[in-house]
């Protein structure tokens, strides 16, 4: 299972990293804009995440046509060691073409903004590492996001192969636990959710008792 942090805000990321439960960091143009990070500063931000213990980092292309996506992806990939960077591509018709070429050349690809089971199926067929559905946004649109992601997960399992669903737009601890119960292979969470998953008051309380008894 791969747990990612979904953020381009270094202060937010530093509050969580390094930590051994975190596999990596996912970013997208919206997160960069929200954090005030210009695109030119993205490689440096991602290298900082790697230095903080992230095993993989993900960056999204910013072109709408396959040729532009490939050019953007290649210039990002050139700045990282093999295996460090996963290229995120929206699961459009053009995106599938670009991603297929990158995957065939041995690069890890995440198809993002996956809203339908067949998109996850095609992503798996094309050798992607991940397909990213957006749970919260599916729910916002009036769809039962969890039920749709369960259908995607069934298709991915049936297709076989190593591709994982990387569920994004995960806003609550309950949503995270429900996704784990579905057996999804990866989840990316906003850093604000991290303490809710890692820190339990009762555990701290028990620890305080143990430490007091150890001293007595
Ligand atoms: C995914 O890449 C996005 O960062 C994620 O969907 C954002 O979550 P939100 O829909 O809760 O804003």
């Amino acid at each position: 299972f791969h747990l990612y942090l979904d953020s381009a805000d270094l202060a937010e990321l530093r509050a969580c990293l390094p930590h051994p439960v975190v596999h990596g960091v996912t970013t997208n143009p919206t997160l960069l804009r929200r954090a005030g990070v210009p695109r030119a500063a993205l490689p440096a931000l991602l290298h900082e995440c790697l230095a903080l213990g992230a095993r993989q980092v993900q960056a999204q292309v910013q072109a709408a046509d396959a040729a532009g996506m490939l050019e953007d992806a290649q210039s990002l990939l050139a700045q990282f060691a093999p295996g460090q960077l996963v290229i995120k591509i929206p699961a459009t018709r053009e995106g599938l073409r670009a991603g297929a070429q990158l995957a065939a050349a041995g690069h890890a690809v995440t198809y993002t903004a996956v809203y339908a089971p067949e998109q996850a199926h095609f992503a798996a067929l094309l050798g992607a590492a991940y397909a990213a559905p957006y749970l919260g946004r599916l729910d916002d649109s009036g769809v039962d996001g969890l039920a749709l992601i369960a259908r995607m997960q069934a298709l991915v399992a049936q297709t076989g192969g190593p591709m994982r669903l990387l569920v994004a737009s995960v806003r609550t601890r309950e949503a995270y636990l429900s996704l784990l119960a579905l057996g999804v292979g990866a989840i990316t969470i906003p850093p604000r959710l991290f303490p809710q998953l890692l820190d339990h008051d009762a555990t701290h309380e028990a620890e305080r008792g143990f430490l007091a008894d150890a001293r007595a």
Side-chain angles (χ1 to χ4, degrees), residues 129-165:
Y130 302 97
Y134 293 175
L135 175 59
R137 292 189 192 189
L138 280 164
D139 288 336
D140 290 346
S141 74
V143 170
D144 180 344
L146 206 59
L148 194 73
I149 290 170
R151 270 185 89 184
M152 291 182 191
Q153 179 62 22
L155 276 184
V156 168
Q158 189 184 312
T159 308
M163 193 193 80
R164 297 163 187 263
L165 287 185

Side-chain angles (χ1 to χ4, degrees), residues 39 59-63 66-80 85-89 98-99 102 107-109:
R39 188 26 149 57
Q60 192 163 325
V61 294
Q62 2 180 86
M69 289 172 177
L70 284 168
E71 195 181 321
D72 197 9
Q74 293 299 354
S75 82
L76 286 166
L77 284 163
Q79 301 177 66
F80 292 86
L85 179 68
V86 182
I87 296 293
K88 280 177 82 180
I89 302 180
L102 288 170
H107 301 298
V109 171

Side-chain angles (χ1 to χ4, degrees), residues 29 46 58 150:
L46 296 177
Q58 302 210 6

